[in-house]
Amino acid sequence: MFDYDTLRVIWWLLIGVLLIGFAVMDGFDFGVAALLRVLGRDAHERIVLLETIEPTWEGNQVWFILGGGAVFAAWPLLYAASFSGLYVAMFVLLTAFIIRPVGFNFREKFEDSRWQLAWDIGLMASGVIVMLVCGVAFGNLFLGLPFHYDGDLRMSWDGTFFQLFRPFALLCGAVSLCMLLAHGACWAAMRADHVIAERAAKVARIASLAYLVLFAAAGVWLALGVPGFAIAGTVVTDGISNPLGKQVVVGGSWFANYRANPAFWVAPALAVAGAVGTQILVSRRGLGGFLCSSLAIAGTILSAGLALFPFLMPSATSPVSSLTVWDASSSQGTLLLMLGVTAVFMPVIILYTGWVYRVMRGRVTLEHVRKSHTTY
């Protein structure tokens, strides 16, 4: 059976899988929403775009719920610290999530152009907010967050919401925004009417090029201007979950893991290859461009995770309070039980999702929309 340190690494990997699943599956929903008035030039074209995502957005959002549930059960200290300290940011994020289904349901209740414009702006804002906030969150992990524990493991948060928007974090937010805009545009190029698809392919190429430039800039900044965290002394990988039982030094490089394990460079290489592939294949307006943008997302998240490992949530104000894979998890029994449940239900979710997308395959055409919305 798996020992404690192996289970911790497995659950670190599983959280990464859930994050990638959320970014890939829900990312194109928010990307399409953010581009609603950019790609859709009239009422019918905007309906086409919405009908490419409305049948599946709820299923896609399951990845977000699974990720939150997994953090709650597998990494309780991480869940408590992040959801308490980042309460305002979480509130903003969830508000953006709530706007989306409300916008879907209400924008077509009236045919008034001002009414639909208001809901379209809400949908576009919800997409931009989610994409930006998620990127800013990743950026703040590298910078360290303002929290600390006392001797009784009571957590205190020392910062404010607006202090999260530091320059490097905003750069990471821009990386996330361009990456997911490209992903959403690739989806529209694959699923929307050919008139819209051609427009979407151009947007995808622009967004993926911007992503490449910003991704490289973030890497250079991380290497030269952001001090890395490292555990000092012997690393106890199978001890109790007590973040105060270690020493942390600040001032090294976040690329130390890459120097120690050159194979890790495969992750950023995949991100770059995915973005370049998007540039090449999205003009065909098929599955290839979408798969390449998905690869860029997976490579980006994996690149960040490998650089951070074993840190889950570094602390800028009290480095010793930083949460790591080795000191923030649930018990060995809990991790093992959850792994068994995941082994049963994760394949079911993936198979069901695949079946749904097979049933819903094909383009949403303007002809179809015009016939079913004759009053527009």
Side-chain angles (χ1 to χ4, degrees):
M1 197 57 66
F2 298 113
D3 52 26
Y4 201 8
D5 52 350
T6 301
L7 282 169
R8 283 168 160 165
V9 173
I10 289 173
W11 272 102
W12 174 79
L13 290 170
L14 285 173
I15 291 297
V17 169
L18 292 173
L19 283 174
I20 292 171
F22 164 62
V24 170
M25 301 304 295
D26 223 12
F28 71 77
D29 287 349
F30 286 109
V32 170
L35 293 169
L36 184 58
R37 288 252 165 182
V38 176
L39 299 178
R41 301 294 173 80
D42 59 33
H44 287 121
E45 290 187 355
R46 289 189 279 275
I47 292 173
V48 168
L49 288 166
L50 291 174
E51 288 194 1
T52 67
I53 59 176
E54 283 179 340
T56 55
W57 72 267
E58 287 180 292
N60 294 339
Q61 198 161 282
V62 167
W63 291 95
F64 177 75
I65 298 168
L66 286 174
V71 171
F72 173 78
W75 310 101
L77 291 176
L78 174 63
Y79 183 91
S82 59
F83 277 71
S84 298
L86 298 171
Y87 182 83
V88 177
M90 293 289 184
F91 179 81
V92 171
L93 189 68
L94 291 176
T95 300
F97 270 92
I98 292 169
I99 289 173
R100 180 172 57 169
V102 176
F104 289 159
N105 290 326
F106 279 86
R107 73 175 301 278
E108 294 183 38
K109 294 295 184 182
F110 299 100
E111 296 175 13
D112 182 76
S113 60
R114 291 171 298 178
W115 170 267
Q116 294 189 351
L117 173 62
W119 285 111
D120 287 350
I121 291 172
L123 286 169
M124 294 174 71
S126 71
V128 171
I129 288 170
V130 170
M131 293 184 287
L132 185 64
V133 169
C134 289
V136 167
F138 262 98
N140 274 284
L141 292 181
F142 288 105
L143 296 169
L145 289 161
F147 71 97
H148 69 274
Y149 290 99
D150 64 14
D152 295 320
L153 291 184
R154 291 176 296 191
M155 193 275 290
S156 297
W157 193 264
D158 306 314
T160 66
F161 170 70
F162 292 104
Q163 289 174 347
L164 298 174
F165 295 92
R166 294 173 280 183
F168 177 75
L170 287 172
L171 175 59
C172 292
V175 172
S176 172
L177 183 63
C178 292
M179 177 179 71
L180 294 176
L181 284 176
H183 192 50
C186 286
W187 176 261
M190 181 177 67
R191 290 293 314 278
D193 186 273
H194 288 287
V195 173
I196 304 171
E198 184 176 356
R199 206 177 294 148
K202 295 178 181 178
V203 172
R205 286 194 294 270
I206 294 170
S208 60
L209 180 60
Y211 157 78
L212 277 171
V213 174
L214 294 172
F215 182 67
V220 172
W221 193 337
L222 188 64
L224 302 179
V226 181
F229 286 58
I231 300 175
T234 303
V235 179
V236 179
T237 61
D238 58 354
I240 62 173
S241 289
N242 179 1
L244 300 182
K246 65 181 181 304
Q247 293 296 320
V248 175
V249 294
V250 182
S253 171
W254 279 117
F255 284 91
N257 287 340
Y258 286 85
R259 287 198 296 267
N261 303 276
F264 285 5
W265 287 102
V266 171
L270 289 176
V272 172
V276 172
T278 300
Q279 291 280 320
I280 298 171
L281 296 179
V282 71
S283 59
R284 299 180 184 179
R285 290 173 273 172
L287 182 61
F290 181 76
L291 291 178
C292 284
S293 64
S294 300
L295 182 64
I297 291 170
T300 302
I301 294 175
L302 189 57
S303 297
L306 291 174
L308 284 165
F309 186 86
F311 289 90
L312 298 170
M313 189 171 166
S315 169
T317 53
S318 174
V320 70
S321 297
S322 299
L323 301 177
T324 74
V325 171
W326 314 125
D327 57 26
S329 72
S330 294
S331 67
Q332 182 176 0
T334 299
L335 296 180
L336 185 60
L337 176 63
M338 289 174 55
L339 183 61
V341 173
T342 302
V344 173
F345 287 101
M346 182 67 77
V348 174
I349 293 172
I350 293 173
L351 289 172
Y352 177 73
T353 301
W355 176 78
V356 169
Y357 277 90
R358 177 173 174 78
V359 171
M360 302 300 297
R361 69 189 182 278
R363 291 187 181 274
V364 180
T365 65
L366 281 168
E367 181 183 6
H368 157 74
V369 168
R370 286 170 181 151
K371 286 181 179 179
S372 56
H373 296 79
T374 55
T375 58
Y376 279 83

